Amino acid sequence: MDRTAQLTARRADRDIAYDPPPAADSPHAGAARVLEENWTGTSTVPSRGLYPHQWSWDSAFIAIGLRHVSPLRAQTELETLLDAQWGDGRVPHIVFNPSVPLDAYFPSPDFWRSSTAGRAAGAPRTVQTSGIVQPPVHALAAWLVHRADPGLSRARGFLTRVYPRLAAWHRYLLHRRDLGGAGLASVVHPWEQGMDNSPCWDAPLRRVPPAPTRSFRRADLDHGAADDRPTDLDYGRYVRLATDYRDGEYADGQGLFAVEDPAFNALLIASEHALAGIARELGATGTARHARAERLTAALIDRMWDPASGMFLCHDVRAGGLIPERGVSGLIPLLLPTLPRDIAATLVGTAHGPHFGLGRTTRLAPSYDLLGEAFDPHRYWRGPAWFNTGWLLERGLRTHGERDRAEALREAMLDLAVASDFAEYVDPYTGKACGITRFSWTAALTLDLLHDFEELMDSKGGNRG
């Protein structure tokens, strides 16, 4: 099996989109209903209340699930996001819906001012976006979506249209964001990495003077408990970083915050492997992209692997050196198929050891070290378990032959997703829902995991319900 096939392993001879509809009360139907509720006609919002716009890596995960119920909608999801791509190649982390009131979400379009402040970077004029990015899951999602219905994809020219945009997105990250000079991409804001207020950001954020609390109004507290959300101090620093980036016309390399993150770069590497598959589908060679992915993997190991911690750690580009905090981000490189065997085995041990407790004290991997001083089982990314990181770890376990552990994690994710009404995130010990419910990527990844289960049952001669 080649590298791309390892990353995207699934049977290609059957598509659930054409199977008989599931029972109305089944987990499959429940997850599909969440995606239908949050569908706008061209994209899917993470939730109607708290997140009423289109988010970048959310849409990638959503497309991965949507491919099982509507490959066309999955393709449209990614196309809509890429239609908002900037001229310099960046894919913005939010594409704003103009029909949503400005005060429904902060920072709103009038804060980012993309069409004016982003003009030099090629921001689109016809749609308002944020100016920062999120993890590059998109090429991997596009390849999986294509494989769900190759006939439809080819008839619509899906890969032909998205490939140049995905390639430009990767060029932006590999060149404009190589702030550390090691070939890896840096994030310039905690929101870009997706794990917004992880304790991994505490040290580099201390360099950032917070914006005054009176200078912004947090719409997120209208929908979630303050104890579950970032503090006002953290939010003030997020606002300061975003303001400075905007006022610098979104030019890269000038800010106080620049961090090389293992998950962000692992997803870039995984998507490079996926782009190789897309290139071959389009009649080109994927050799150069596989070679680039292997070089990036070597750089990731050289730059961020910490044997003493048994995992990858974030690298602070501004201060120099590794950040001594264990976040779930440092386990995500398990997704990579060419990871050396000893490193993969160590990551598996760390995930199931005392710091993350997977399958022992926790059912899903917490977002932060159980033994860390900053651990909080309920506060956003400082301890709760998330379904997207669980999905990535499940893929990683399968990639490296840990089928029993992967299956145990898949079963736990399915149980907790349904029991929590597709929660945004959960207490890693109890599985209690945190944040909001009926969250789109939780529903989408549930669909993907259910599809794996149905294929497993078919292979064993079981019945599908």
Side-chain angles (χ1 to χ4, degrees):
M1 184 180 291
D2 69 19
R3 300 180 192 90
T4 303
Q6 283 180 295
L7 281 167
T8 60
R10 52 155 288 176
R11 282 170 49 190
D13 60 346
R14 185 174 61 80
D15 184 355
I16 198 171
Y18 304 118
D19 287 346
D25 59 350
S26 70
H28 185 292
R33 278 195 297 271
V34 172
L35 296 182
E36 186 65 30
E37 291 166 6
N38 292 335
W39 174 247
T40 69
T42 56
S43 65
T44 310
V45 298
S47 76
R48 289 287 182 179
L50 182 54
Y51 305 108
H53 303 285
Q54 183 179 23
W55 260 258
S56 173
W57 77 326
D58 291 72
S59 278
F61 288 122
I62 289 164
I64 288 169
L66 272 177
R67 68 193 170 117
H68 299 303
V69 293
S70 174
L72 177 59
R73 267 174 57 189
Q75 292 177 30
T76 303
E77 184 82 36
L78 295 172
E79 290 165 346
T80 300
L81 178 68
L82 292 172
D83 281 345
Q85 185 173 26
W86 290 28
D88 64 3
R90 83 182 72 195
V91 176
H93 98 296
I94 302 175
V95 181
F96 290 105
N97 182 343
S99 67
V100 173
L102 289 178
D103 62 358
Y105 183 81
F106 178 84
S108 53
D110 57 340
F111 172 89
W112 295 103
R113 306 172 198 164
S114 61
S115 59
T116 53
R119 185 178 297 129
R125 297 183 179 181
T126 57
V127 63
Q128 294 295 310
T129 76
S130 64
I132 60 175
V133 303
Q134 277 189 325
V137 198
H138 311 89
L140 178 58
W143 181 234
L144 290 169
V145 167
H146 163 78
R147 293 185 62 183
D149 192 334
L152 176 68
S153 175
R154 291 168 187 146
R156 296 187 68 247
F158 172 64
L159 292 182
T160 301
R161 283 181 286 111
V162 301
Y163 180 79
R165 297 187 177 194
L166 294 169
W169 169 218
H170 285 211
R171 281 196 300 273
Y172 167 78
L173 294 173
L174 292 168
H175 297 286
R176 302 288 184 92
R177 288 301 189 88
D178 181 14
L179 305 181
L184 299 170
S186 292
V187 296
V188 300
H189 194 292
W191 289 341
E192 292 198 313
Q193 193 269 355
M195 303 177 193
D196 299 13
N197 69 322
S198 167
C200 298
W201 314 135
D202 289 356
L205 277 176
R206 290 190 191 105
R207 297 191 294 267
V208 180
T213 304
R214 65 181 180 277
S215 67
F216 57 89
R217 179 189 174 277
R218 296 180 56 178
D220 63 317
L221 297 181
D222 295 339
H223 301 275
D227 287 347
D228 288 352
R229 306 293 299 175
T231 65
D232 284 345
L233 177 60
D234 287 334
Y235 226 89
R237 287 173 168 145
Y238 305 153
V239 172
R240 173 70 68 188
L241 282 173
T243 300
D244 290 349
Y245 195 37
R246 178 200 67 199
D247 293 348
E249 298 184 324
Y250 298 110
D252 293 310
Q254 307 302 314
L256 295 171
F257 186 98
V259 176
E260 293 166 344
D261 174 76
F264 192 100
N265 282 281
L267 291 169
L268 176 60
I269 294 166
S271 280
E272 275 291 308
H273 283 305
L275 275 182
I278 295 173
R280 288 200 306 272
E281 167 68 21
L282 297 177
T285 176
T287 305
R289 292 205 174 274
H290 280 316
R292 181 181 295 116
E294 290 182 3
R295 290 195 300 272
L296 290 170
T297 301
L300 178 71
I301 294 168
D302 180 66
R303 193 82 158 173
M304 286 183 263
W305 175 246
D306 183 52
S309 299
M311 62 187 302
F312 291 86
L313 301 179
C314 296
H315 183 267
D316 189 339
V317 173
R318 292 287 177 254
L322 296 176
I323 299 171
E325 299 284 1
R326 292 179 172 89
V328 71
S329 169
L331 301 176
I332 301 304
L334 191 63
L335 182 71
L336 302 177
T338 61
L339 205 63
R341 185 174 300 176
D342 60 329
I343 291 180
T346 301
L347 284 174
V348 172
T350 300
H352 294 81
H355 292 284
F356 293 91
L358 187 58
R360 295 182 178 182
T361 57
T362 65
R363 297 194 69 191
L364 303 187
S367 49
Y368 178 65
D369 184 359
L370 297 170
L371 305 181
E373 291 184 7
F375 174 78
D376 184 328
H378 294 158
R379 194 178 290 276
Y380 209 65
W381 291 109
R382 299 181 81 84
W386 292 71
F387 290 88
N388 65 330
T389 54
W391 183 87
L392 292 168
L393 287 175
E394 195 265 358
R395 301 290 94 175
L397 289 167
R398 290 193 190 279
T399 295
H400 292 281
E402 296 283 347
R403 291 181 180 85
D404 290 344
R405 283 176 162 145
E407 182 60 19
L409 178 54
R410 186 193 66 79
E411 290 179 358
M413 290 177 66
L414 290 175
D415 288 347
L416 293 177
V418 173
S420 69
D421 194 21
F422 307 101
E424 185 180 6
Y425 49 101
V426 297
D427 182 308
Y429 291 121
T430 67
K432 179 183 177 182
C434 301
I436 55 174
T437 57
R438 307 192 71 72
F439 192 66
S440 287
W441 82 27
T442 303
L445 297 176
T446 296
L447 284 173
D448 194 60
L449 294 170
L450 284 167
H451 189 56
D452 284 349
F453 175 70
E454 289 169 343
E455 291 183 338
L456 178 65
M457 291 299 291
D458 280 354
S459 70
K460 292 180 177 179
N463 295 320
R464 298 184 331 145

